[in-house]
Each structure stands twice: as structure tokens, then as C-alpha cells.
Amino acid sequence: MPPAPPAPRDTRCLDARDDAARHAAVAEAARVIRDGGLVAFPTETVYGLGADAGNSRAVAGVYAAKGRPAFNPLISHVPNLEAAVRLGRFAPAALSLARAFWPGPLTLVLPCRDTEAVCDLARAGLDTLALRVPAHPVARAFLEAAGRPVVGPSANVSGHVSPTDASHVLSDLAGRIDVVLDAGPSPVGVESTIVDCSGLEPCLLRPGGLSRERLEIVLGHALPDADGADEARPPSPGRLASHYAPRAVVRLEAREVRATEALLTFGGLRPHGSEAARLILDLSPAGSLEEAAANLYAALRRLDAEGVAGIAVVPLPREGLGEAIADRLGRAAAPRPVPEGD
Ligand code: AMP
Ligand code: MG
């Protein structure tokens, strides 16, 4: 039987876009977290759905608001490395990565040191935890003010595209959460890169806003994929086949646009049939993968809002952030329905 829908909430949007409004908005959002409420907050990757990581009722509220059917481990967010080392055990490689890339779009999975500050439900009962120090100034101020780790899966209904703007959050979660802290569009636009540092050697759990190449420079060696490396590892919702899904059918590596399709392109590319495309969105006319990542989810949402039935996606470069973009587009194109999405 599907779970009963959560009781409706009165969702407030707090404006943190300019300096004058930010302080009061952040203080109020932090108060709501301490009181066990649900706050969608901006990060440089996507908007997160925040709750006190040590409050299992609040964490359960996150799953309910998202309509996420399974309890999967969540990423806990803290304002700095000092807070992180109280929660997780850092091997030397993990510490090097944290020093090099925090604050930033990197999540580390580590052995857990504090099972109260990050409750069982937030860790899905594992003895490891996922930690991140986001770089977004509003996220950092919010986490400082909250004074405790804050879980933050993407602030969307399960299975929908991740939100990169407060309006995306509201279109999914209005009436289901207490507050949206609005700081405008997310600059990176794809989720964090997740590196598992809980085993003998670090491995990549999910490509994301920090490229594999940059991680490998700091590690001094290749970073292997986790897939298949260890059967004891928990299933990662971000690794499910269909995820980040728009309603439209997504066709990858398209070298022509077919009748009735919209075109999702890059670097000004106009494949055969573009003239007749229902709509053309260029993720980055200048050919920047960073810009393409930042625009990806808003473009998928826009194509859905326009009601297009099919999306032809041109081939994109695979280096740098191209790996994360290809990963998300691959999931957007995967067969549906898959009820376990995030
Ligand atoms: P998101 O819903 O975008 O916040 O994704 C969280 C990701 O972190 C999921 O893919 C989780 O499976 C992964 N994750 C969180 N905690 C752990 C953990 N302790 N071990 C392995 N993966 C984790
Ligand atoms: Mg998500």
C-alpha cells in the first residue's frame, strides 16, 4: 500500500538573493531546521531539501515530502572541515580531497563517528555517512546558523528532474515543506561528485560537479568506479537506471532531428532536421561544459513545460563535467517507470 500523503504545510519562500534580505532569511530558515522543519536551501549544485540530520522525525519528513518510496542514505551538509571531522573518520586520501575541494561540489562517504548527529535513518542504517561542505555562500551561512548537520537530497518530487531554482522547488514541493530559501539559480547545476573513502582505496560512486580529472590530480592516481567493486556497498539511488527524468522521450547521440522532436544542443550545433524542430535549446552556445551543466536541468524542465513528446540530444564532449552531463542524460533517456527514483 502506498504511504499516506504527508499533512499539508504552509510553504514560505524567503528571499535571500540580496545582502539586505539574506541575514534575516537565513536566520529564520535555520530556526525552522532546529525546530524540526523542512527547508529547501540553495547550493552551488542543485537545491537541497534540508532537515536536521539528527532528528529522525524530520528526516522521515524529507522522504515523505519527496514521495521517495525507499529509505536511501542521504548526504549530510556541514559548514566546514572542522564540523566534518567530528562526524566522519578521514583517512589520509579523504583528508587530501577535503582540503583540496571543500567547500565545493564534492561528497565524501566515510566511516561514521557520530551516530547521533547523523541519525540511523539519514544513514539508512549504515555505519558510513556521506558528507559535504557546499561552497554556496547562502548554504554556508545557513549551515553555520543551523549549528548541526543538515541532510539535503535534491528538493524535487521523487523521479523528477533536480531543481536548480527556487521556482522549480515550489513547482514540486509547495505545500509539502516549510520554507524555500531563494538565492536564485544554482551555478553548477548538476549534483555533487560522490567519492567513497570508506574502504581501502577511494572510488567514484557518482560523477558530478567536480570532474574525475581534478580528483585524480590530487590523489596522484586513477580513481576507479565503484560499480561492481564491492557487492556490500549500498544501492545508490543516484545510480538507478532511470533518474533525473523528464516526461518526454529522450534520444541521445542524435545526428538528426526527427519530426515532432525538440532539439537539445551544444556549442551551436544544428544537426540535419533542426529547421523543423519544435524548439531548440542550446545548453551552451559558446561550447562550455560548465555552462551546459548549469543549464541542463532548467532546459529539461522547460522542454517538459512546453509539452514536447521527444527530445533529440546532440553528442556532447565527455571530458570534465561532460561525464556528469552524460550520466544524467543517460538516466533521463532510460526506460521508465522506475519507482525508486530520487
Ligand atoms: P542525493 O539524493 O542526490 O542526495 O544522493 C545521495 C547519494 O549519496 C545517493 O546516491 C546515495 O546512495 C549516496 N550515499 C549517501 N550516503 C551513502 C553511504 N553511506 N554510502 C554510500 N552511498 C551513500
Ligand atoms: Mg535527487
Side-chain angles (χ1 to χ4, degrees), residues 3-342:
R9 298 182 191 223
D10 184 16
T11 306
R12 290 177 293 150
C13 187
L14 302 178
D15 188 354
R17 281 171 300 176
D18 61 57
D19 290 344
R22 183 168 302 166
H23 188 75
V26 161
E28 173 59 9
R31 186 193 64 74
V32 172
I33 288 289
R34 287 193 302 271
D35 286 351
L38 303 183
V39 174
F41 64 103
T43 80
E44 69 276 24
T45 57
V46 303
Y47 274 67
L49 177 51
D52 177 350
N55 178 338
S56 43
R57 273 183 72 113
V59 174
V62 167
Y63 289 103
K66 285 177 64 82
R68 183 148 131 169
F71 289 154
N72 293 309
L74 302 176
I75 297 171
S76 292
H77 297 73
V78 289
N80 48 46
L81 182 57
E82 292 67 50
V85 296
R86 287 196 290 272
L87 302 176
R89 193 162 295 119
F90 285 72
L95 204 53
S96 309
L97 293 177
R99 290 211 170 106
F101 298 115
W102 279 353
L106 171 68
T107 295
L108 298 175
V109 173
L110 305 161
C112 184
R113 287 184 65 178
D114 185 337
T115 53
E116 296 215 340
V118 179
C119 68
D120 275 352
L121 188 53
R123 289 178 288 106
L126 298 170
D127 53 13
T128 55
L129 88 173
L131 276 177
R132 171 162 169 233
V133 177
H136 196 294
V138 172
R140 299 190 74 196
F142 165 64
L143 294 169
E144 286 281 2
R148 63 200 63 198
V150 172
V151 294
S154 52
N156 52 274
V157 164
S158 186
H160 286 193
V161 172
S162 294
T164 54
D165 196 89
S167 65
H168 302 161
V169 176
L170 286 171
S171 87
D172 269 27
L173 297 178
R176 297 181 179 213
I177 62 177
D178 300 299
V179 165
V180 183
L181 196 51
D182 179 2
S186 302
V188 174
V190 288
E191 294 81 354
S192 61
T193 300
I194 306 181
V195 177
D196 186 347
C197 293
S198 68
L200 285 179
E201 290 292 340
C203 55
L204 186 68
L205 274 177
R206 174 176 80 184
L210 180 66
S211 71
R212 189 197 293 260
E213 292 90 327
R214 294 189 60 198
L215 290 158
E216 290 178 341
I217 289 170
V218 170
L219 290 172
H221 55 78
L223 178 65
D225 284 326
D227 292 356
D230 180 353
E231 283 179 5
R233 283 183 206 285
S236 238
R239 310 303 308 167
L240 291 166
S242 173
H243 196 55
Y244 313 102
R247 282 186 293 276
V249 174
V250 178
R251 193 165 61 81
L252 301 178
E253 305 287 323
R255 291 173 200 281
E256 82 294 324
V257 185
R258 297 179 187 157
T260 76
E261 277 184 334
L263 172 67
L264 188 60
T265 189
F266 175 77
L269 223 67
R270 293 290 183 275
H272 183 71
S274 296
E275 322 74 58
R278 259 207 65 188
L279 178 69
I280 299 180
L281 295 183
D282 195 331
L283 290 172
S284 171
S288 150
L289 286 166
E290 285 72 27
E291 188 184 15
N295 288 332
L296 178 64
Y297 290 139
L300 293 176
R301 278 182 185 262
R302 163 104 192 272
L303 290 162
D304 260 352
E306 300 278 344
V308 305
I311 307 171
V313 186
V314 300
L316 272 87
R318 293 295 175 112
E319 76 267 9
L321 291 196
E323 186 177 9
I325 296 171
D327 177 85
R328 304 308 188 271
L329 283 171
R331 288 166 213 289
R336 271 154 272 163
V338 172
E340 299 259 318
D342 175 43

